[in-house]
Each structure stands twice: as C-alpha cells, then as structure tokens.
Amino acid sequence: QVQLVESGGGLVQPGGSLRLSCAASGFAFSNYAMRWYRQYPGKERELVATITASGRITNYADSVKGRFTISRDNAKNTVNLQMNSLKPEDTAAYYCNTRLYMNDYWGQGTQVTVSS
C-alpha cells in the first residue's frame, strides 16, 4: 500500500531553518511528482512546493519562494523540504503528497512551529 511518512518538524525561532523529510513506499516513487502542502488550523491544505518525477522542475508558492527548497532522492524514495528564513506564518502542519490513479495520498503530517 502507498505510505508516506513525514519527519523533521519541530520548534524553531524566526529566521531559523528546518529540514523536512518524507519517506515513500508502496508505489513507483520515481514515476510520480511529489508535493508538500501545509495546513493551518481550521483552514484547507495549501500547496507549498512541487517537484516533478525526475526532479528536474520545481515550483513554489509565492509565500515560500526563495526560502524553501524541495528536492528528492529517487534512489532512496525520499522527498525533502529545506526551510530557511522561517517566519511565524510558516507555522503549520506540513504534509507530503502524491497523486496516482486520480487519488491523493497523504502522510500523517509533521508540525512546524516558528516562535521566539
């Protein structure tokens, strides 16, 4: 079965950095684009970053552009999100996502809290 497991969240001060990781299994990871979403309490999930199957092309929400970097290692079935210059408004639950056969699959989420 498809499984996505996020890790790396935590508490960090404004201006600090965190690196999120997502371990994928149960599907042909290298054939699929991967995405990071985040969700504020009471709000719908919003797309943060996308990376194509090959890793050649990435896209970012304007709110994180220049601060976050999505990457993947197809040999290890992992996708990462390097988060720099963190702001309080980055505080959210972050989710790894993939889409196959018209179905969305999600990890359990990892909490990022940016606070002094």
Side-chain angles (χ1 to χ4, degrees):
Q1 71 278 26
V2 173
Q3 189 169 39
L4 303 171
V5 181
E6 302 95 336
S7 62
L11 175 64
V12 65
Q13 293 184 339
S17 297
L18 284 174
R19 183 176 176 86
L20 307 184
S21 295
C22 172
S25 62
F27 66 102
F29 178 80
S30 63
N31 290 346
Y32 293 92
M34 298 296 296
R35 303 168 184 85
W36 284 97
Y37 284 74
R38 66 187 179 189
Q39 186 171 28
Y40 304 112
K43 300 294 185 179
E44 297 181 2
R45 290 179 189 180
E46 63 181 43
L47 181 62
V48 173
T50 300
I51 188 166
T52 57
S54 69
R56 185 171 61 89
I57 304 296
T58 58
N59 287 281
Y60 301 91
D62 287 342
S63 58
V64 308
K65 199 168 299 180
R67 300 187 297 120
F68 290 11
T69 302
I70 188 171
S71 62
R72 68 191 296 159
D73 185 343
N74 284 347
K76 297 187 179 297
N77 285 13
T78 60
V79 59
N80 303 309
L81 187 67
Q82 179 66 47
M83 310 165 68
N84 298 327
S85 302
L86 283 162
K87 304 175 179 179
E89 52 262 46
D90 295 319
T91 296
Y94 284 74
Y95 296 87
C96 179
N97 163 269
T98 192
R99 185 172 300 123
L100 63 160
Y101 292 106
M102 307 303 291
N103 293 319
D104 278 298
Y105 295 87
W106 304 90
Q108 82 289 348
T110 186
Q111 179 67 37
V112 171
T113 301
V114 185
S115 180
S116 58

